[in-house]
Amino acid sequence: MRRRSLLVGAVLAAGASLGPTACSSGSVPEVPAGPDGEADPVLVAGRRVYADRCVNCHGVRGQGGRGPSLAGDSMAESYPSAADQAEVVADGKSTMPGFSNTLTPAEIEAVVRFTREVL
Ligand code: HEC
């Protein structure tokens, strides 16, 4: 009996330590430095919005999950115009919520640029 409760404790501890890692915003890709050696501050802001609002459904690397993949060239192909993509983020699309009430237009533009240029 004693052994079993120790085992349960170990499993719970392992689960607890996995949790934060799996959801950590730390795994969202960093914005690479631009030609001037600095990361574009708009992309850095977009990364923060992505980590806060989008990872749960689109994955830390934009690989998809509850929502489709936003990674690679997929977004630039589906939305040649970034403004059209921003409209989806603002207004939502089927089960995706719209963000026009929770994010500013500048934040939406930043997160759209982050998905197009970094993910
Ligand atoms: C609650 C889950 C959820 C959250 C949070 C979420 N999305 Fe989505 N997203 C979806 C789903 C589901 C779809 C697919 C909608 C459809 O076409 O049926 C989608 C679609 C999209 C699309 C269009 C993809 C395409 O191929 O047309 C974009 C762009 C997008 N999301 C960006 C974002 C951004 C940026 C954020 C964060 C600000 C975000 N999403 C947050 C679930 C989510």
Side-chain angles (χ1 to χ4, degrees):
M1 209 51 199
R2 198 136 193 239
R3 262 204 120 101
R4 174 175 290 181
S5 65
L6 273 179
L7 189 65
V8 168
V11 168
L12 285 177
S17 70
L18 267 180
T21 316
C23 304
S24 160
S25 63
S27 349
V28 174
E30 293 289 344
V31 177
D36 62 355
E38 302 283 330
D40 181 334
V42 174
L43 291 177
V44 173
R47 177 181 183 274
R48 210 172 305 125
V49 173
Y50 187 83
D52 285 348
R53 308 284 182 155
C54 319
V55 282
N56 285 347
C57 295
H58 291 283
V60 283
R61 301 191 161 270
Q63 74 274 25
R66 276 172 71 192
S69 166
L70 303 178
D73 294 333
S74 59
M75 285 302 98
E77 280 163 14
S78 312
Y79 300 93
S81 150
D84 292 341
Q85 193 184 337
E87 210 172 290
V88 172
V89 178
D91 298 343
K93 193 178 173 195
S94 71
T95 55
M96 170 163 152
F99 288 88
S100 58
N101 292 327
T102 43
L103 295 176
T104 65
E107 286 173 322
I108 291 176
E109 194 188 315
V111 74
V112 163
R113 275 196 57 203
F114 177 76
T115 63
R116 293 171 81 90
E117 296 173 39
V118 180
L119 291 183

